[in-house]
């Protein structure tokens, strides 16, 4: 074949490799973002308010039960929540962690308490979850707190 040299073949291979690398670099982020979904939903919320020891003048306490479901493809490794301005402290070992993540499709019920004098009635519940890749999502829910 006239005109076909090793140099031309090497140039052709180099052009194909460079074009493939550029194309891969452009397409890869889009493909991974379509496959990676970070989402959750709180499927059940039950909240109570009571005075410690049932005595007036004592600080109030919230008791909260949350059922969280991982709707995404990325593991959930942490959950933090507030009811009104009161930070909820979940029972030790009951929150997803790196050692015990909440995987895709799994559902888990959390129990926690918070100190506060907000009383019963409508409150805003703010839930933040941490994903294994370090990102977070925060959602707010309006809940009715029952008097216990």
């Amino acid at each position: 074949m006239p005109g076909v040299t090793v140099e031309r073949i090497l140039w052709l291979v180099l052009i194909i490799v460079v074009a493939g690398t550029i194309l891969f670099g452009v397409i890869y982020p889009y493909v991974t973002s379509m496959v990676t979904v970070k989402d959750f939903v709180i499927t059940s919320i039950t909240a109570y308010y009571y005075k410690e020891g049932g005595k007036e003048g004592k600080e109030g306490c919230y008791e909260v039960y949350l059922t969280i479901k991982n709707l995404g493809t990325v593991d959930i490794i942490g959950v933090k929540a507030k009811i009104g301005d009161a930070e909820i402290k979940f029972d030790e070992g009951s929150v997803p962690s790196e050692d015990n993540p909440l995987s895709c499709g799994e559902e888990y019920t959390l129990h926690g308490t918070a100190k506060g004098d907000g009383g019963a009635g409508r409150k805003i519940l703010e839930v933040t979850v941490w994903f294994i890749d370090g990102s977070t999502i925060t959602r707010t829910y309006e809940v009715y707190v029952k008097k216990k």
Side-chain angles (χ1 to χ4, degrees):
M1 275 194 183
V4 176
T5 65
V6 172
E7 184 179 355
R8 287 187 178 178
I9 292 172
L10 288 176
W11 273 110
L12 180 63
V13 169
L14 180 65
I15 290 170
I16 291 171
V17 167
V18 169
T21 303
I22 291 170
L23 187 61
F24 178 78
V26 169
I27 292 175
Y28 181 76
Y30 294 110
V31 171
T32 56
S33 70
M34 288 187 293
V35 173
T36 303
V37 177
K38 299 172 209 161
D39 197 12
F40 75 96
V41 67
I42 302 297
T43 59
S44 173
I45 304 169
T46 305
Y48 301 102
Y49 177 80
Y50 60 91
K51 292 281 187 176
E52 285 192 80
K55 297 180 181 175
E56 291 302 317
K58 289 275 192 174
E59 187 175 24
C61 190
Y62 293 99
E63 184 174 13
V64 180
Y65 295 89
L66 300 175
T67 303
I68 184 170
K69 183 172 186 174
N70 187 351
L71 298 177
T73 57
V74 180
D75 289 351
I76 293 174
I77 60 164
V79 179
K80 183 175 156 183
K82 287 185 354 181
I83 189 159
D85 292 332
E87 182 104 14
I88 298 171
K89 293 185 175 147
F90 291 109
D91 297 345
E92 196 171 319
S94 71
V95 180
S97 64
E98 287 188 36
D99 297 331
N100 185 26
L102 187 62
S103 299
C104 175
E106 290 184 341
E107 201 171 60
Y108 199 79
T109 300
L110 305 170
H111 172 262
T113 57
K115 302 281 187 193
D117 285 326
R122 295 197 184 282
K123 302 288 175 204
I124 297 296
L125 176 71
E126 184 180 281
V127 179
T128 302
V129 301
W130 279 265
F131 295 93
I132 194 106
D133 67 356
S135 62
T136 62
I137 293 179
T138 301
R139 299 234 168 91
T140 57
Y141 301 88
E142 187 174 351
V143 298
Y144 186 78
V145 179
K146 303 170 192 168
K147 196 165 190 164
K148 195 170 185 180

